[in-house]
Amino acid sequence: MYPVFERKDRMKQISINSLTKEELTQQLKEMQEPAFRAGQIYDWLHVKHVSSYDQMLNVPKQLREKLAAQYNLTVLKQVEVLCSEIDGTRKYLFQIPEYETTLVNNVIESVLMKYKHGNSVCISSQVGCRMGCLFCASTLGGLERNLEPAEMLEQIYRIQEDIGERISNIVIMGTGEPMDNYDNVVKFIHMISDKDGLNISQRNITVSTCGLIEPMHRFAKEDLQVTLAISLHAPNDTIRKTMMPVANSITIREVIEAADAYYNETGRRISYEYSMVKDVNDSDACAMELVKLLRGKNCHVNLIPVNPIEERNFTASVASNIQNFKNILEKNRINVTIRREMGSDINAACGQLRKSHAEK
Ligand code: SAH
């Protein structure tokens, strides 16, 4: 794994919109404000999604000024949006706050996908990533920093505002490794599913991980109802090591044990992600090996043709091969789907839009 470089020039002030309702209540109590103020302010932030303190009309000006002196109100600004003519998929680039203060040319990426069952948003959990997966564009520049809860919430609030429709599903599958930003991700899940906030059901939230086992075991004990998706991508450690550096320190066996622990604690069916790369992990033998790993488990396999990035020579498996792989799993009674491609006219692999913006 790569080391984390903390930005020295980053403002360390806390964001008011990263505080849970309980934390906000406690802070206002310490400021000797009446308890109902917490409810009002939380509502402005997490239901009405204001972008400045001035918009909190029923909060006295003096209190707004006091809060503003102590806390940032973190707002993401839309830099660019690409819209698919085919299925309404929208890819957003947002400025992170220090973009303005220090001219760090960094942005984050989020994607809106429109399904019959509702609007789903794929959010980033970090600025960059240090996992180094060889097929992924998000990790090419390493990790810049973790995203705060407010910055994860903002991706959803700003998209909801942009389209004027409710978001009902969230996948934490954008740039970053959620288990590498554990505390902020768990806090985000609590806040986005808070009945006093957007109140999105935890059952409609998916967290995807490359399989960091220690935080996964901790996650199993959090008493959450989210779906855990595992980026497996290979049926054995030898192949996995050629795709994912994390496989040098964590075995598939350990990853599956941690996923089983999550299932046993929560009863939530595990999703396994399998990006299909031509001549690397798409043979019949690989399918059979995968069957052996997952047989009898309450799980679901998502087959995804790898989205090639120019820096690496990974090629997607051909469609007939993917279908054949799916048939083998099905014959062995493993739930499997081939991931439908969304927004193919604005197609860019995970993190490519952000990367091309940085290069500009
Ligand atoms: N770090 C987390 C979440 C972000 S990546 C994880 O590893 O799960 C989200 C998913 O997209 C992962 O399954 C990842 O392996 C996959 N992915 C990344 N780049 C891809 C590409 N070029 N083609 C196909 N899948 C990709």
Side-chain angles (χ1 to χ4, degrees), residues 170-188:
I170 296 166
V171 290
I172 311 181
M173 276 197 189
T175 299
E177 168 48 51
M179 292 292 144
D180 190 35
N181 183 16
Y182 186 89
D183 292 339
N184 288 338
V185 166
V186 169
K187 199 168 174 192
F188 161 78

Side-chain angles (χ1 to χ4, degrees), residues 195-236:
K195 63 172 178 27
D196 293 324
L198 260 198
N199 194 14
I200 295 180
S201 164
Q202 288 187 2
R203 291 170 171 265
N204 293 348
I205 301 173
T206 299
V207 178
S208 180
T209 177
C210 64
L212 302 185
I213 51 170
E214 275 169 36
M216 280 169 73
H217 281 288
R218 231 177 112 195
F219 198 62
K221 304 272 185 201
E222 294 281 355
D223 199 20
L224 297 171
Q225 276 294 300
V226 302
T227 299
L228 188 62
I230 311 291
S231 299
L232 195 64
H233 304 323
N236 61 54

Side-chain angles (χ1 to χ4, degrees), residues 293-313:
L293 282 179
L294 302 180
R295 202 188 318 254
K297 293 191 190 297
N298 189 0
C299 67
H300 183 98
V301 176
N302 262 315
L303 300 176
I304 311 148
V306 82
N307 199 338
I309 59 172
E310 63 190 39
E311 291 79 3
R312 310 263 193 253
N313 49 359

Side-chain angles (χ1 to χ4, degrees), residues 57-217:
L57 298 174
N58 57 3
V59 179
K61 192 156 185 264
Q62 228 184 354
L63 175 56
R64 280 188 261 148
E65 281 169 358
K66 219 156 81 176
L67 289 170
Q70 215 168 321
Y71 297 101
N72 284 327
L73 199 170
T74 295
V75 178
L76 296 182
K77 289 209 187 105
Q78 193 175 307
V79 186
E80 200 176 327
V81 55
L82 300 179
C83 309
S84 164
E85 300 285 329
I86 301 171
D87 54 26
T89 298
R90 294 166 82 89
K91 293 201 170 194
Y92 292 84
L93 272 187
F94 291 110
Q95 271 179 20
I96 54 173
E98 61 261 44
Y99 188 96
E100 285 156 280
T101 51
T102 62
L103 295 178
V104 172
N105 186 9
N106 226 328
V107 292
I108 56 171
E109 205 176 302
S110 329
V111 186
L112 166 80
M113 290 155 291
K114 301 195 115 197
Y115 295 102
K116 280 199 202 85
H117 64 263
N119 293 317
S120 181
V121 170
C122 173
I123 65 160
S124 294
S125 56
Q126 295 180 312
V127 187
C129 182
R130 59 175 172 148
M131 295 299 125
C133 296
L134 284 144
F135 46 85
C136 180
S138 291
T139 198
L140 289 168
L143 176 67
E144 203 54 54
R145 70 166 171 84
N146 285 329
L147 287 178
E148 287 180 38
E151 293 164 322
M152 289 183 254
L153 294 165
E154 269 285 297
Q155 295 173 57
I156 294 150
Y157 298 171
R158 293 304 144 209
I159 292 177
Q160 188 164 284
E161 191 161 89
D162 185 52
I163 63 169
E165 290 173 26
R166 185 176 160 78
I167 306 299
S168 53
N169 292 264
I170 296 166
V171 290
I172 311 181
M173 276 197 189
T175 299
E177 168 48 51
M179 292 292 144
D180 190 35
N181 183 16
Y182 186 89
D183 292 339
N184 288 338
V185 166
V186 169
K187 199 168 174 192
F188 161 78
I189 294 169
H190 284 295
M191 291 175 79
I192 198 73
S193 59
D194 187 341
K195 63 172 178 27
D196 293 324
L198 260 198
N199 194 14
I200 295 180
S201 164
Q202 288 187 2
R203 291 170 171 265
N204 293 348
I205 301 173
T206 299
V207 178
S208 180
T209 177
C210 64
L212 302 185
I213 51 170
E214 275 169 36
M216 280 169 73
H217 281 288

